[in-house]
Amino acid sequence: MKVLFVAAESAPFIKTGGLGDVIGSLPKALKNKGIDARVVLPLYSKIDKKKYNIKFVKYIYVSLGWKNIYCGIFKTEYKGVKYYFIDNEQYFNRNSVYGQFDDAERFAFFSKASIMIMPHIEFKADIINVNDWHTAMSIIYLDKLKKDNDSYYIDMKSVLSIHNIEFQGKYDKYLLGDVFGLGNEYLNVLTFGDCLNLMKGGIQLADRVNTVSETYSKEILNSFFSFGLDPILNIENHKIRGIVNGIDYEIFDPEEDQSIYKRYNKKSINDKYKNKLALQKELCLEENIEIPLIGMVTRLTDQKGIGLITEVAEQILNMGTQLVILGTGDPKYEEQLRHMENMRHDRMRSIIMFSNQMSSKIYAAADLYIMPSKSEPCGLSQLIAMRYGTIPVVHRVGGLRDTVEPFNIENGTGCGFTFESFNAYDMLDAIKRALDVFYYEKKAWKLLINNAMSYNSKWEKSAKKYIEMYKEIL
Ligand code: GLC
C-alpha cells in the first residue's frame, strides 16, 4: 500500500508544533509495518538542504487560476522515509511558515503541486493523507482530476487528519476562481457561512477524516469544541475516526537525550533528581529535591489554558512549589508571566522563548508537568513528560483524557492527576492531590513515576489503526 503524506511541516526539517512531530514520526512507523509511506513538504528557505542532503530532481509547472507556476521538486531520504519538497521561492522564501498575507495562495499551490508531482516522482499513491486546513485543498484538486476523468488519479483515495479544528483556512469567496482556479461547481462544497472554509471542503470530500485522539473525534461534534463546524461534522460523522498520536521514542528518550544534564531510565531514577538539582542551579532557584518542581512547556495561548495558571499562580507557589514555564505566544500572557516571575523571583521562572534544549531539561527535571488545556486534540507534551517520569496534571479533555489515567492510590494504577472542568480552582485541587502524594506518600510517588515511565506511547498501536482506516477505503 502506498500513502503520500501532504503536510505543511515535519520534524526534523521544519517544525513549529505537534503537527511537525507527528509527520516526523508516523510515516516511519507505517513504513515499519510494510506501508510505502512518503512525505511531501514545502521547501521553506529555513530548511537546511545541505544538512539533510536534499537534492534537486526536476521541475514542472503547475497551473493555479490564471498563473502557470514554477514548481521545483527536491528529494531526500531520512531514517528510511522518502521526503519530497516543493520549491518555489516566491512562496516559501519567507521568514515564517504560517501567517503570511498570501497563505491561501501559498498553501493552495503547495496542495495542488503535491499531487501533480506524483507522475514525475514515479510514486502513484493509493491514498493521500493530508493534514489540517493547509493541505485540505489537495483533496479538492484530487476530486477535480477525478471529475475530469484523469485515469492516473481516478482510483486515488483521500484522508484528512485534523490536528486542530480551531484553524480552518477561511477566505473570501472571490479567491475561488482567481486564486484557486476552481469553477463555481466547488462553491458549495467550499463555502461555510459567508466565506470559503478549506477545512470544511476537505471534510466533505475526503474518504475518511481522522482526529488525533478518540475523545476529540467525539468532542468536535459539539459546538463547544468545533469552532462552528459541528453541523458539517455531524453530517459526515460516519467517516470520522479517532486515532491517538504516539511519540518518537528515539527522540524523546531520557536514556539518550543529549540535552539533559544526566541521562537516566526507570532503574536509575535517582539520576532524574540530578537533573532537578542542575536545573534549579541553572535557573538560580533553591537547590533542593524536597521542593516539588512544576514544569510547563507550551505555546502561550488561550487554548493551552495558560490563563488558569496566571489566575492561581500565587496559590500554586504557596503550596511550597517551584514553577518553571517555557514558551512564547500571546504577548498578553508573555507579559503576565514576566510580571509573575518578578513578583515571585524566589520560586518562579518564566522563560519566554522556544528552545528544544530547555524543554528537554524541564521534562527531565520536573516532578509535575501541568497541562490545563481548554481543548486538546491530542497533546504530545503529556506523553513526553510521562516518558521522562514527570507526572502530568491535566484537564480531562481530548487526548489528555485518552492518555492520562488518573492515579488510584488504592490499587496503584494510573499515571497522573486530572480535573474535570476548565476552572482554575479545580486545577488547583488536582495539583494539591498530586502534592499530597509527593509530600506524604513517598512509596506511592515512586510507583507513580514507574507507571508513567512504563506507559506505552509508541506509534505502533496507532499505526495499525491508520492501516485499518486505509484498508476500509481501498
Ligand atoms: C496540534 C494539537 C495537539 C496535537 C498536535 C499533533 O498541535 O493542538 O493537541 O497533539 O496537533 O497532532
Side-chain angles (χ1 to χ4, degrees):
M1 191 192 303
K2 296 185 192 145
V3 182
L4 185 66
F5 279 84
V6 187
E9 56 177 284
S10 171
F13 309 103
I14 184 104
K15 177 182 128 176
T16 74
L19 170 63
D21 285 308
V22 171
I23 306 303
S25 49
L26 169 60
K28 194 168 63 179
L30 289 167
K31 191 105 213 258
N32 290 339
K33 298 216 163 298
I35 304 294
D36 189 354
R38 305 188 187 186
V39 183
V40 52
L41 301 168
L43 188 58
Y44 303 106
S45 47
K46 286 216 174 107
I47 293 179
D48 191 336
K49 290 211 281 266
K50 229 190 192 151
K51 180 171 173 192
Y52 297 113
N53 196 25
I54 297 172
K55 293 264 153 62
F56 178 75
V57 179
K58 68 185 283 190
Y59 69 90
I60 59 171
Y61 279 85
V62 172
S63 68
L64 197 68
W66 53 271
K67 296 183 185 170
N68 213 14
I69 303 170
Y70 171 86
C71 165
I73 306 172
F74 283 67
K75 179 181 172 180
T76 193
E77 192 165 323
Y78 186 80
K79 299 205 170 155
V81 176
K82 291 195 171 71
Y83 289 83
Y84 300 94
F85 298 85
I86 303 294
D87 174 39
N88 180 297
E89 290 221 358
Q90 195 196 331
Y91 291 135
F92 304 127
N93 184 4
R94 303 285 177 92
N95 55 9
S96 70
V97 171
Y98 312 113
Q100 304 284 331
F101 75 96
D102 56 349
D103 275 1
E105 182 173 337
R106 297 168 71 223
F107 288 113
F109 166 71
F110 172 64
S111 300
K112 186 163 185 191
S114 297
I115 51 178
M116 300 316 291
I117 64 168
M118 276 190 263
H120 303 276
I121 56 174
E122 282 158 34
F123 182 70
K124 184 172 169 182
D126 299 305
I127 293 172
I128 56 166
N129 192 329
V130 313
N131 294 273
D132 279 349
W133 74 266
H134 331 108
T135 50
M137 285 296 280
S138 293
I139 294 178
I140 314 294
Y141 290 119
L142 176 62
D143 186 76
K144 175 83 175 98
L145 287 162
K146 289 184 183 181
K147 282 215 174 90
D148 293 345
N149 265 319
D150 188 315
S151 60
Y152 185 86
Y153 293 97
I154 207 89
D155 294 322
M156 209 173 274
K157 305 289 183 200
S158 61
V159 172
L160 167 63
S161 300
I162 298 177
H163 298 261
N164 195 341
I165 197 97
E166 183 174 351
F167 307 104
Q168 300 172 0
K170 295 180 186 171
Y171 295 104
D172 197 287
K173 284 182 186 166
Y174 83 83
L175 265 64
L176 185 73
D178 273 8
V179 175
F180 298 152
L182 293 166
N184 274 338
E185 74 267 28
Y186 282 97
L187 188 60
N188 259 340
V189 99
L190 278 168
T191 298
F192 190 62
D194 51 10
C195 56
L196 302 179
N197 183 317
L198 309 192
M199 180 82 104
K200 181 258 186 182
I203 292 169
Q204 236 170 281
L205 291 185
D207 293 298
R208 284 290 180 279
V209 173
N210 79 290
T211 64
V212 287
S213 70
E214 179 92 35
T215 294
Y216 193 64
S217 74
K218 308 279 184 303
E219 286 172 342
I220 56 172
L221 301 176
N222 190 299
S223 57
F224 182 81
F225 291 99
S226 73
F227 289 88
L229 282 181
D230 50 296
I232 302 300
L233 291 159
N234 276 292
I235 294 169
E236 304 293 338
N237 194 9
H238 59 283
K239 62 187 188 198
I240 301 179
R241 304 285 177 271
I243 307 176
V244 74
N245 287 331
I247 53 172
D248 191 327
Y249 264 51
E250 281 177 30
I251 295 178
F252 302 109
D253 182 359
E255 230 173 332
E256 295 293 333
D257 193 332
Q258 301 296 319
S259 304
I260 64 179
Y261 307 96
K262 176 86 190 155
R263 289 181 276 287
Y264 61 98
N265 59 27
K266 256 193 289 192
K267 292 190 194 99
S268 58
I269 201 67
N270 279 337
D271 285 340
K272 180 172 167 58
Y273 296 115
K274 294 189 181 147
N275 285 286
K276 179 171 173 179
L277 289 168
L279 185 69
Q280 286 170 326
K281 183 168 184 196
E282 181 176 337
L283 300 178
C284 299
L285 289 164
E286 185 184 333
E287 292 162 52
N288 181 346
I289 62 165
E290 301 298 328
I291 298 177
L293 175 62
I294 304 180
M296 186 173 187
V297 178
T298 183
R299 271 184 296 123
L300 303 173
T301 59
D302 286 326
Q303 185 215 328
K304 296 295 179 184
I306 191 77
L308 300 194
I309 305 279
T310 52
E311 198 179 331
V312 295
E314 193 67 29
Q315 285 100 311
I316 297 174
L317 296 173
N318 287 344
M319 290 193 285
T321 66
Q322 293 170 339
L323 183 57
V324 176
I325 301 178
L326 170 72
T328 60
D330 189 333
K332 170 182 84 181
Y333 290 129
E334 293 186 353
E335 197 42 52
Q336 285 178 8
L337 288 177
R338 285 199 186 95
H339 177 71
M340 277 161 48
E341 174 177 312
N342 279 339
M343 300 301 288
R344 292 302 304 267
H345 205 259
D346 58 330
R347 287 179 173 271
M348 152 120 204
R349 292 294 175 269
S350 306
I351 310 171
I352 309 298
M353 62 177 200
F354 180 89
S355 159
N356 281 327
Q357 192 183 16
M358 183 47 84
S359 71
S360 277
K361 287 181 181 176
I362 293 174
Y363 286 122
D367 299 294
L368 291 174
Y369 187 88
I370 184 141
M371 219 167 154
S373 310
K374 191 173 193 178
S375 70
E376 197 56 83
C378 177
L380 301 174
S381 309
Q382 81 280 16
L383 302 176
I384 302 169
M386 288 194 273
R387 185 118 210 267
Y388 283 72
T390 303
I391 306 307
V393 178
V394 304
H395 180 210
R396 206 148 172 260
V397 285
L400 298 172
R401 183 189 196 98
D402 294 349
T403 56
V404 180
E405 187 196 336
F407 184 55
N408 179 331
I409 201 163
E410 299 300 322
N411 57 21
T413 57
C415 38
F417 297 85
T418 64
F419 55 100
E420 290 287 335
S421 59
F422 187 67
N423 171 302
Y425 288 88
D426 270 1
M427 175 186 76
L428 202 58
D429 181 66
I431 296 174
K432 185 172 177 306
R433 279 184 275 123
L435 292 177
D436 281 344
V437 181
F438 178 90
Y439 284 128
Y440 309 116
E441 307 278 353
K442 298 280 180 210
K443 249 173 115 178
W445 189 259
K446 279 216 170 106
L447 179 66
L448 191 50
I449 292 178
N450 192 63
N451 290 356
M453 291 185 85
S454 310
Y455 184 82
N456 182 357
S457 46
K458 287 193 186 131
W459 265 110
E460 222 182 324
K461 257 187 303 174
S462 298
K464 255 194 211 152
K465 291 194 179 154
Y466 271 87
I467 295 170
E468 279 163 27
M469 172 172 69
Y470 296 152
K471 283 188 176 154
E472 274 175 26
I473 51 179
L474 284 180

